[in-house]
Amino acid sequence: MEFGRIVVGSDGTPDASALAIAGALAAIGDTRIEIVHAGTEDAVHDSAMADIAATVMMSGIPGWRVGTTSHTGNLADLVAAAAERLDAGLIVVDRGGRRPAHAVHRLSHEAPCDLLVVTPRPHDGSVPYRKIAIATDGSATADRAARRGFDLARSLDATVDLIFVGRRATGELTTTDTVAVYGDDVASSIHLLEGDPAGKIIEAAAGAGSDLIVIGNKGMTGMRGVLLGSVPKAVLDHAAVDVFVSRTIRQLESQLSPGEGGVVDRHGEQLAAFVDDDGATHLLSARCTHLGCIVAWNPAERTFDCPCHGSRFGPDGAVVQGPASRPLPPA
Ligand code: FES
């Protein structure tokens, strides 16, 4: 599993845990790390940058693989902008006290890529995660989080606990499917639960001894199919372990594999992207031709589905199912 570039956010205190975990993950894919420091004054910048340089040296990560930039401004904005500019695949930040800081909450909504929120602790630079809990509600967006979680588990030789919260019958079908499609070579257990999604996910992950929870940044659905946008935030707030928030709505083109589609951002415009078997990317408007809602990739059916009235389009934009009658136009 490769992240392209990893951006580590720092608010002035060099965070040894976030950097050590970023370093361990970077080693998997020989990835470069960019540390973004948000400060307010030049003198503070200088001393913070010196501290960061010392932390890099102590972490054992080769200095040539680490770049540092320092800016004045809000940490979430600066980190998100750097990730966008560098086409980064992952942002790593410290949890910031017992509860995630405002910057972490903002990044969980606004990061242009996956986000890893690290709980400060001593770290020896070894494989950071052995037991990974993946939260799912069987939706197409949770599917992408599951795929990222299984990819990470495969890279780290970790086991997976797939936690489904919702109707049991749906869970039996979707979790079996998810494991078959994304993780048939990964040792995994399935947990089918009902109740408050965030509470059940945290409880099941703790019971399984997981050291990481993977969840999509899009809200999960409750028992009545109601979208619960606060589930990722509640998990971030209350989990005692690290949380990997997978970007499930917008994706980076560089994260799409052959045969996969997704909705990507190009200069502020949302586009439906599909990578064919030869690795060529095809870009279409992501706006449904019925009434203009933004479509989402459905990996099970390999279609772009509209959440508003159920229109579905093939990877080439052709209408598979109405009410839309016109294809998605090329971008
Ligand atoms: S807007 Fe897409 S189906 Fe109506």
Side-chain angles (χ1 to χ4, degrees), residues 60 106 109 129 132 138 143 164 174 202 290 326 329:
R106 273 191 65 183
H109 287 291
Y129 306 114
I132 297 176
D143 233 35
F164 174 94
T174 56
I202 292 169
H290 178 226
R326 288 172 293 121

Side-chain angles (χ1 to χ4, degrees), residues 109-313:
H109 287 291
E110 295 169 16
C113 57
D114 296 335
L115 169 71
L116 174 59
V117 179
V118 170
T119 303
R121 62 185 178 282
H123 194 273
D124 61 4
S126 58
V127 174
Y129 306 114
R130 291 290 183 193
K131 284 181 77 62
I132 297 176
I134 302 175
T136 183
D137 60 357
S139 64
T141 50
D143 233 35
R144 179 173 141 66
R147 179 185 159 173
R148 296 294 280 164
F150 274 111
D151 284 351
L152 188 58
R154 190 175 294 109
S155 301
L156 298 175
D157 206 15
T159 60
V160 163
D161 286 273
L162 185 62
I163 301 167
F164 174 94
V165 186
R167 288 193 180 84
R168 193 175 179 87
T170 313
E172 279 167 3
L173 281 175
T174 56
T175 51
T176 310
D177 232 38
T178 301
V179 172
V181 173
Y182 299 122
D184 65 341
D185 55 344
V186 175
S188 49
S189 315
I190 290 173
H191 305 254
L192 302 177
L193 305 167
E194 295 181 359
D196 158 53
K200 290 292 172 188
I201 290 163
I202 292 169
E203 201 179 294
S210 306
D211 39 29
L212 176 72
I213 296 176
V214 177
I215 189 165
N217 74 326
K218 180 86 158 68
M220 300 178 72
T221 50
M223 282 294 286
R224 295 194 178 89
V226 180
L227 193 68
L228 300 172
S230 60
V231 176
K233 180 173 176 291
V235 170
L236 274 170
D237 274 350
H238 300 294
V241 295
D242 295 359
V243 180
F244 185 102
V245 184
S246 173
R247 186 80 192 166
T248 55
I249 300 304
R250 217 186 79 192
Q251 291 178 249
L252 297 175
E253 276 178 61
S254 58
Q255 289 180 347
L256 297 176
S257 310
E260 191 186 6
V263 174
V264 301
D265 183 285
R266 269 273 179 99
H267 312 302
E269 189 186 357
Q270 301 207 64
L271 302 178
F274 176 74
V275 178
D276 65 25
D277 291 340
D278 297 326
T281 303
H282 304 270
L283 293 171
L284 306 162
S285 164
R287 217 160 262 295
C288 176
T289 54
H290 178 226
L291 291 176
C293 293
I294 299 297
V295 297
W297 177 247
N298 177 344
E301 300 294 331
R302 287 171 56 114
T303 51
F304 289 103
D305 296 357
C306 179
C308 291
H309 313 100
S311 290
R312 293 173 52 212
F313 304 86

Side-chain angles (χ1 to χ4, degrees), residues 315-326:
D316 59 354
V319 176
V320 172
Q321 178 180 301
S325 57
R326 288 172 293 121

